[in-house]
Amino acid sequence: MSTPQSSSLSVGLADWARSFTEPGDEFPLTPLNVVAGHLPSDLKGSLYFNGPSLFQRNGETIHHWFDGDGSVLAVHFDGATAVGTHRRVRTVGYQAEEEAGRFLYGGYGRRSSGPFWQPSASKTKNAANTSVLALSDRLLALWEGGFPHALDLHTLETHGLDGLQTLAPGEAFSAHPKIDPHTQEIYNFGVKIGAKTALHLYRCDRQGQIRQRGRINLPHIPLIHDCVLAGPYLIFVIPPISISPLPVLLNWQSYSEAMRWQPKRGTQILVVDRETLTLIAQAEASPWFQWHFSNGYVDGQGQVVVDMVQYPDFTTNQFLSEVPSGKPQTAAPGHLSRLWINPQTAQITGTAQLGDVNCEFPQVDPRQVGQPSRYTYLTARSSTANATDLFDAIAYFDHKCDRWTWSDLGPSRYPSEPLVVPHPYQDDSNWILSVVYDAQRHASEVWIYNHHSFADGPVCRLELPQPIPIRFHGTWQS
């Protein structure tokens, strides 16, 4: 099937590039039409997805996918209908740039628009564009370099920065908190850069209030994007990347440009006691990089098992910087891998690559976070996809049967992270939800799968009023 060409789509761009060059606008709470299948009657709750959505201002395009201003999609299900809304997060930086009509602030992959002595040059814009955390009274839009932004759970109206009652200036609350399914405690971290760079650890109650803190001093400024909750432990895997702060402070380089891959440092493994938030052990391993972990747990031999999408180096960052151009040239495949770690020494006792599927954004059933989980769901590249394309398939890996199961989305369709939503009455069943961008129609849909019929395709497809750029991370609130 041929792909229609838009007059605004330049020759040589990937067909998904329109989601960056012509992203859809916001829309208010709107009933969503079912375009295929039927809404599951037991699916009741709210789906939230965050991701970058504004990539151009006054003819200037951002230089890294991570720098697009955040927007959140919410879809509220009541078992019979679905109502959705999509709104940008009204950060201070977003509002200032809206008023100016141009980019002002620096970010992960861009320098500010002025010389270093101008006020905006010394500031990095909190893009609020990476993930979301749903609490009982508010939704937090997360970005790993600073405070969360609080949003209304229903309308997504921005209420402003949220310091969780105890965060101090310069502290950060990362975009990948872990929620214990039994206690509902929330564990998270943030890297604070200063005279002494430190990894700050947080233990929060189910309302999001920080109840306990920990601190681990670090020898350099690292890139730590995610962590693992594994039974009684928190596991941090620190790749051999060091950020040079002076070029960033002087506005000579962005954070991304100032990152140095230093394989001789090795990858650092930190094992933390989740009750005391103190370091148990630390060890060095061979160099690799990872953005995201799938899950972790303690096996029958007392070893910590950690699943992640692993890369041999930091080439993935170059690929992500090329995505907004619509024509990335750098292939950076990652694969689902498993580590076994001795929690008393932090030494790796075993490794395994779980197939040769090129994949990312791993997810497990939230009822099994920190415990053994049979299935890992991911976005993946199909066998027909170009190595530099965005992911065009959803798959899951069955750890018990050592088998991959795929869902064919059809041509020119690109999914966001697959979110696992537990069935309220069936412990062995769940739904998998994703936002799918259809490049041929320049449209977006919410796809709902039943795990037991996953390979047969979605049981329901909901059309969104506007095309939504590919999302990063989401959550579900029952």
Side-chain angles (χ1 to χ4, degrees):
M1 185 180 295
S2 62
T3 302
Q5 295 295 314
S6 165
S7 60
S8 60
L9 190 62
S10 301
V11 175
L13 296 187
D15 60 0
W16 45 260
R18 285 186 70 191
S19 70
F20 292 87
T21 60
E22 302 174 32
D25 205 350
E26 302 174 295
F27 56 86
L29 286 164
T30 306
L32 303 183
N33 294 323
V34 174
V35 294
H38 301 279
L39 273 171
S41 60
D42 291 330
L43 185 63
K44 299 177 182 180
S46 295
L47 171 72
Y48 301 100
F49 261 112
N50 195 358
S53 67
L54 187 61
F55 308 99
Q56 297 176 332
R57 284 190 184 276
N58 197 26
E60 183 183 0
T61 301
I62 62 171
H63 302 300
H64 200 289
W65 196 357
F66 291 176
D67 283 336
D69 288 276
S71 69
V72 177
L73 170 71
V75 181
H76 308 297
F77 298 86
D78 65 6
T81 62
V83 176
T85 181
H86 175 235
R87 298 190 66 175
R88 293 194 178 96
V89 184
R90 264 61 176 179
T91 69
V92 170
Y94 168 80
Q95 293 182 90
E97 291 180 339
E98 277 286 283
E99 184 176 348
R102 60 188 180 89
F103 290 122
L104 299 172
Y105 298 97
Y108 177 88
R110 63 166 281 111
R111 287 167 267 173
S112 78
S113 299
F116 73 89
W117 57 82
Q118 288 186 352
S120 63
S122 63
K123 298 179 181 178
T124 299
K125 180 174 63 176
N126 183 330
N129 66 0
T130 311
S131 190
V132 278
L133 176 62
L135 303 172
S136 62
D137 61 346
R138 65 202 189 278
L139 180 73
L140 299 183
L142 304 176
W143 178 75
E144 67 190 43
F147 284 21
H149 280 77
L151 311 180
D152 184 277
L153 283 164
H154 192 61
T155 66
L156 302 182
E157 177 186 357
T158 302
H159 296 316
L161 289 172
D162 190 324
L164 306 177
Q165 300 190 24
T166 66
L167 289 177
E171 293 184 334
F173 192 79
S174 175
H176 285 287
K178 305 300 176 184
I179 303 175
D180 184 285
H182 297 299
T183 67
Q184 296 302 305
E185 291 174 309
I186 303 166
Y187 292 87
N188 205 358
F189 67 94
V191 174
K192 184 175 183 180
I193 302 172
K196 290 186 177 179
T197 298
L199 176 64
H200 287 229
L201 309 175
Y202 311 117
R203 184 181 185 180
C204 309
D205 62 22
R206 66 180 64 198
Q207 305 301 324
Q209 183 174 351
I210 297 174
R211 297 295 188 181
Q212 185 180 0
R213 287 169 166 264
R215 175 189 172 107
I216 300 172
N217 289 330
L218 300 172
H220 63 282
I221 304 174
L223 175 59
I224 307 176
H225 183 71
D226 196 0
C227 70
V228 182
L229 174 62
Y233 307 109
L234 294 171
I235 307 296
F236 291 88
V237 179
I238 306 178
I241 293 170
S242 182
I243 303 174
S244 301
L246 185 60
V248 177
L249 290 173
L250 295 177
N251 201 31
W252 294 343
Q253 292 182 321
S254 67
Y255 281 96
S256 178
E257 293 169 328
M259 292 177 182
R260 300 290 179 264
W261 175 253
Q262 299 175 323
K264 290 184 178 180
R265 285 184 179 271
T267 293
Q268 304 298 313
I269 311 294
L270 277 62
V271 180
V272 174
D273 185 319
R274 64 176 267 188
E275 292 297 324
T276 63
L277 298 185
T278 57
L279 184 66
I280 296 174
Q282 180 174 355
E284 182 178 310
S286 59
W288 77 79
F289 181 77
Q290 81 288 319
W291 290 111
H292 301 117
F293 297 99
S294 167
N295 198 19
Y297 63 92
V298 178
D299 68 12
Q301 287 70 50
Q303 298 291 292
V304 174
V305 179
V306 173
D307 294 338
M308 63 182 174
V309 174
Q310 188 176 34
Y311 300 86
D313 52 35
F314 198 41
T315 308
T316 172
N317 193 54
Q318 179 61 30
F319 167 77
L320 293 168
S321 73
E322 296 168 354
V323 166
S325 72
K327 45 184 178 181
Q329 304 295 315
T330 304
H335 301 92
L336 184 62
S337 301
R338 171 165 287 186
L339 306 177
W340 287 265
I341 300 171
N342 182 329
Q344 303 308 314
T345 65
Q347 295 286 342
I348 294 177
T349 59
T351 62
Q353 182 173 304
L354 307 178
D356 59 357
V357 174
N358 190 343
C359 56
E360 246 302 350
F361 298 108
Q363 289 286 307
V364 299
D365 187 327
R367 297 171 295 192
Q368 298 167 349
V369 169
Q371 307 163 45
S373 51
R374 178 172 175 176
Y375 304 106
T376 298
Y377 301 84
L378 312 99
T379 56
R381 287 190 179 92
S382 67
S383 59
T384 59
N386 189 298
T388 57
D389 257 334
L390 297 184
F391 297 108
D392 65 338
I394 302 175
Y396 71 80
F397 181 74
D398 185 334
H399 293 272
K400 182 178 180 179
C401 301
D402 193 27
R403 183 177 64 207
W404 286 85
T405 300
W406 291 75
S407 173
D408 182 4
L409 274 63
S412 300
R413 288 176 174 151
Y414 303 92
S416 298
E417 174 183 74
L419 276 184
V420 185
V421 177
H423 193 286
Y425 313 120
Q426 301 176 20
D427 292 340
D428 64 343
S429 182
N430 50 48
W431 295 287
I432 301 91
L433 276 63
S434 181
V435 180
V436 176
Y437 174 69
D438 187 330
Q440 291 188 358
R441 298 190 303 113
H442 188 45
S444 294
E445 298 177 351
V446 175
W447 286 25
I448 304 169
Y449 291 85
N450 185 310
H451 169 83
H452 297 297
S453 60
F454 182 82
D456 297 330
V459 297
C460 182
R461 288 168 46 195
L462 297 166
E463 186 159 24
L464 298 176
Q466 295 280 343
I468 304 296
I470 286 85
R471 308 282 78 191
F472 281 163
H473 301 290
T475 193
W476 172 264
Q477 185 181 58
S478 296

